[in-house]
């Protein structure tokens, strides 16, 4: 069964804290996508990765293919980082197209 | 346009009515996806187009749901005989093609079936 699980479901942090959001999946994947969704707003792509690590500003995404696990890290968190962070994976085989399966999201609140 | 656009942004309808939701993808993007997001849940895949054809419609919940993309650009998601359970945010995304290209999401259409 293709499953995507995220943890924690909700997270509250003080401004400046280092934040980690986790994503686990059940079977092999060809790609993993981290997305950000602000309340009432659209979804913004943060990272697309299939191996290793990517960094953009204060955001870092890592993936461990063997352990079927990815993490999204936010350094020096800020209240504007408050949003729902969603992990989405594209499972193998890929002959079904490019559809992604989504986790339920992690709701992050950063308090000033 | 600069990004993916969706219209209307909000739609309120009565149970049993027919609705159409429109998606304008980023120019040049051949791949287009429809997702549905219920409150407190992650998006759920509905259908994927590559060009004009539906390459994968396995996510459509039943035959009341149908989507078209006749010219390989704009897509319309059609829902017949709407039910209260259809209430959700319907998201559209586009990408350059299959593979590892990033998907760009529209703002969504919030559908409420009374």
């Amino acid at each position: 069964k293709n499953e995507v699980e995220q943890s924690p479901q909700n997270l509250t942090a003080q401004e400046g804290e280092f934040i980690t959001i986790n994503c686990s999946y059940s079977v092999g994947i060809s790609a993993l996508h981290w997305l950000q969704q602000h309340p009432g707003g659209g979804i913004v792509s943060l990272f697309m990765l299939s191996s290793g690590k990517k960094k953009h500003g204060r955001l870092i995404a890592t993936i461990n293919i063997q352990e079927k696990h990815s993490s999204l890290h936010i350094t020096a968190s800020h209240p504007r980082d408050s949003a729902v962070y969603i992990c989405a994976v594209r499972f193998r085989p890929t002959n079904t197209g490019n559809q992604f399966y989504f986790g339920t999201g992690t709701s992050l609140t950063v308090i000033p | 346009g600069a990004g993916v656009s969706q219209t209307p942004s909000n739609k309120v309808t009565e149970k049993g009515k027919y609705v159409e939701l429109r998606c304008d993808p980023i120019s040049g993007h051949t791949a287009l996806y429809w997702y549905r997001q219920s409150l407190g849940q992650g998006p759920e895949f509905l259908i994927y187009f590559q060009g004009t054809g539906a390459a994968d419609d396995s996510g459509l919940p039943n035959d009341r749901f149908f989507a078209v993309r006749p010219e390989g650009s704009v897509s319309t998601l059609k829902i017949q005989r709407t039910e209260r359970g259809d209430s959700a945010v319907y998201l559209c995304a586009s990408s350059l093609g299959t593979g590892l290209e990033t998907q760009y999401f529209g703002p969504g259409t919030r559908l409420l079936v009374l």
Side-chain angles (χ1 to χ4, degrees):
Chain A
K1 184 179 177 183
N2 298 338
E3 291 182 342
V4 183
E5 293 186 353
Q6 286 186 238
S7 63
Q9 199 169 6
N10 296 282
L11 180 57
T12 301
Q14 289 291 131
E15 183 174 357
E17 284 186 5
F18 179 84
I19 289 164
T20 296
I21 298 171
N22 299 298
C23 175
S24 298
Y25 46 91
S26 54
V27 296
I29 66 168
S30 60
L32 184 142
H33 207 162
W34 279 105
L35 306 160
Q36 181 192 55
Q37 185 172 32
H38 283 278
I43 293 177
V44 174
S45 170
L46 299 176
F47 297 103
M48 172 87 82
L49 66 167
S50 57
S51 64
K53 174 181 173 178
K54 287 190 175 181
K55 184 177 189 293
H56 182 72
R58 295 181 294 106
L59 301 178
I60 303 167
T62 63
I63 188 168
N64 185 317
I65 297 296
Q66 287 73 29
E67 294 185 4
K68 298 184 177 60
H69 179 269
S70 175
S71 293
L72 176 68
H73 305 285
I74 305 175
T75 61
S77 59
H78 189 276
R80 65 174 174 266
D81 297 328
S82 299
V84 175
Y85 292 84
I86 302 171
C87 168
V89 303
R90 181 185 174 199
F91 290 108
R92 290 200 179 104
T94 59
N95 59 348
T96 56
N98 201 23
Q99 64 170 281
F100 277 79
Y101 292 85
F102 294 76
T104 54
T106 294
S107 179
L108 171 66
T109 302
V110 181
I111 301 170
Chain B
V4 178
S5 62
Q6 291 185 245
T7 55
S9 54
N10 291 280
K11 177 71 178 176
V12 181
T13 190
E14 294 179 342
K15 180 175 177 293
K17 299 290 189 184
Y18 168 83
V19 297
E20 289 190 352
L21 312 178
R22 176 188 167 107
C23 172
D24 266 287
I26 293 173
S27 178
H29 281 192
T30 60
L32 184 146
Y33 314 81
W34 282 101
Y35 299 95
R36 177 169 70 174
Q37 186 175 25
S38 300
L39 194 64
Q41 301 295 318
E44 172 192 20
F45 170 79
L46 295 177
I47 186 170
Y48 154 67
F49 286 91
Q50 183 58 244
T52 60
D56 184 349
D57 63 359
S58 62
L60 295 177
N62 51 60
D63 61 6
R64 296 187 296 106
F65 288 74
F66 188 70
V68 295
R69 196 186 184 197
E71 298 178 0
S73 179
V74 170
S75 176
T76 304
L77 178 66
K78 308 180 181 192
I79 310 174
Q80 299 177 319
R81 304 183 304 279
T82 53
E83 300 178 355
R84 292 193 180 89
D86 299 335
S87 297
V89 176
Y90 288 82
L91 296 162
C92 175
S94 70
S95 71
L96 278 171
T98 59
L100 294 180
E101 295 88 359
T102 296
Q103 293 187 24
Y104 296 86
F105 285 79
T109 293
R110 189 174 301 274
L111 174 66
L112 177 61
V113 182
L114 300 176

